[in-house]
Amino acid sequence: RIQQMSYHFSRTPIPQETSTKVQALNTLNGEQFAEAIDLVFGFLTQEFTDLKSSVSDFAKSLSMDETDLKDGIMSIIFVFRGAIRENLRPNLLAEDLRNLGLNDDKAKEVQGLWKQKFIALSRSVVEHSTLTVNQLVDLEWKFGVTTANSDLAKVGSTYLQLKLVMDRGNNQREDVYMELTLQQFYEFLSEMQRAKVSLDYFGV
């Protein structure tokens, strides 16, 4: 369901549930809310990247339902990203948060923090928006066993060769080759699994 009220942080209507999820943060006391907002700022400024573990640990410390806390924090992140994009003044962000149902005292707290953190937030967005995201369109792999090497300790060791076909945009594709030891492959696989769990957790 789409909410028809207009907001400064978004040029298009937003889902109705965004307001409900933001309002869930009203159950936090002042100290708890400040910690939740610190998590949001820390994530957006790349101070840490494992938001899933941070939210989970925070929820346990509050004896709070993790899903409700996660939804509230993700909704605030959604609002903040829009506010950065629109270069919102602190008072306009606070107005949007009030219209979403956040308590006045909490909206005022965010207003003050936004003024302090805005430069760091903007810098982080600029730095990370310069990265190019390339889509993986195909993957080929094969296992091999080292039969000859100047280092005798490596003879008989197993390795994995990967061929990644990347979409660079503009109908251009590039083949990327990698050779990994089994240990490196399992570490790589573990990282990919952790990334998938995070994406699934936040519904990306």
Side-chain angles (χ1 to χ4, degrees), residues 60-127:
K60 289 176 183 176
S61 72
L62 301 178
S63 298
M64 182 179 179
D65 182 80
E66 183 177 338
T67 299
D68 290 342
L69 182 61
K70 178 199 74 174
D71 288 346
I73 287 177
M74 290 304 295
S75 293
I76 291 294
I77 289 175
F78 169 68
V79 173
F80 279 16
R81 281 175 168 162
I84 294 169
R85 183 176 59 250
E86 298 298 327
N87 196 29
L88 279 196
R89 296 193 302 274
N91 64 308
L92 295 180
L93 173 60
E95 180 182 320
D96 278 351
L97 291 172
R98 290 189 192 94
N99 288 334
L100 286 167
L102 193 66
N103 289 345
D104 184 63
D105 57 339
K106 290 180 171 61
K108 285 181 179 178
E109 182 174 353
V110 172
Q111 179 176 338
L113 290 171
W114 188 258
K115 187 175 182 179
Q116 298 173 23
K117 304 278 190 177
F118 185 73
I119 292 178
L121 285 168
S122 300
R123 183 185 302 120
S124 178
V125 168
V126 169
E127 289 174 353

Side-chain angles (χ1 to χ4, degrees), residues 12 14 33-34 49 67 71 78 100 102 136 148 150 158 175-176 179:
T12 58
I14 66 170
F33 180 75
T49 56
T67 299
D71 288 346
F78 169 68
L100 286 167
L102 193 66
L136 176 65
S150 57
T158 306
D175 295 339
V176 178
E179 183 170 302

Side-chain angles (χ1 to χ4, degrees), residues 22-171:
V22 167
Q23 290 171 33
L25 298 178
N26 286 328
T27 62
L28 303 179
N29 63 33
E31 183 178 345
Q32 293 166 346
F33 180 75
E35 188 170 347
I37 295 303
D38 279 343
L39 282 179
V40 173
F41 280 123
F43 177 70
L44 290 177
T45 56
Q46 301 291 316
E47 292 177 16
F48 64 90
T49 56
D50 190 0
L51 185 60
K52 177 183 182 298
S53 294
S54 298
V55 171
S56 180
D57 292 343
F58 186 33
K60 289 176 183 176
S61 72
L62 301 178
S63 298
M64 182 179 179
D65 182 80
E66 183 177 338
T67 299
D68 290 342
L69 182 61
K70 178 199 74 174
D71 288 346
I73 287 177
M74 290 304 295
S75 293
I76 291 294
I77 289 175
F78 169 68
V79 173
F80 279 16
R81 281 175 168 162
I84 294 169
R85 183 176 59 250
E86 298 298 327
N87 196 29
L88 279 196
R89 296 193 302 274
N91 64 308
L92 295 180
L93 173 60
E95 180 182 320
D96 278 351
L97 291 172
R98 290 189 192 94
N99 288 334
L100 286 167
L102 193 66
N103 289 345
D104 184 63
D105 57 339
K106 290 180 171 61
K108 285 181 179 178
E109 182 174 353
V110 172
Q111 179 176 338
L113 290 171
W114 188 258
K115 187 175 182 179
Q116 298 173 23
K117 304 278 190 177
F118 185 73
I119 292 178
L121 285 168
S122 300
R123 183 185 302 120
S124 178
V125 168
V126 169
E127 289 174 353
H128 291 89
S129 65
T130 59
L131 297 177
T132 302
V133 178
N134 299 298
Q135 182 179 6
L136 176 65
V137 295
D138 195 13
L139 170 66
E140 297 178 11
W141 59 273
K142 64 179 179 179
F143 282 104
V145 178
T146 302
T147 57
N149 193 290
S150 57
D151 184 351
L152 291 178
K154 294 183 178 179
V155 174
S157 62
T158 306
Y159 61 89
L160 178 72
Q161 291 181 334
L162 296 175
K163 175 186 174 183
L164 310 178
V165 181
M166 311 297 295
D167 184 354
R168 299 300 191 189
N170 298 320
N171 295 318

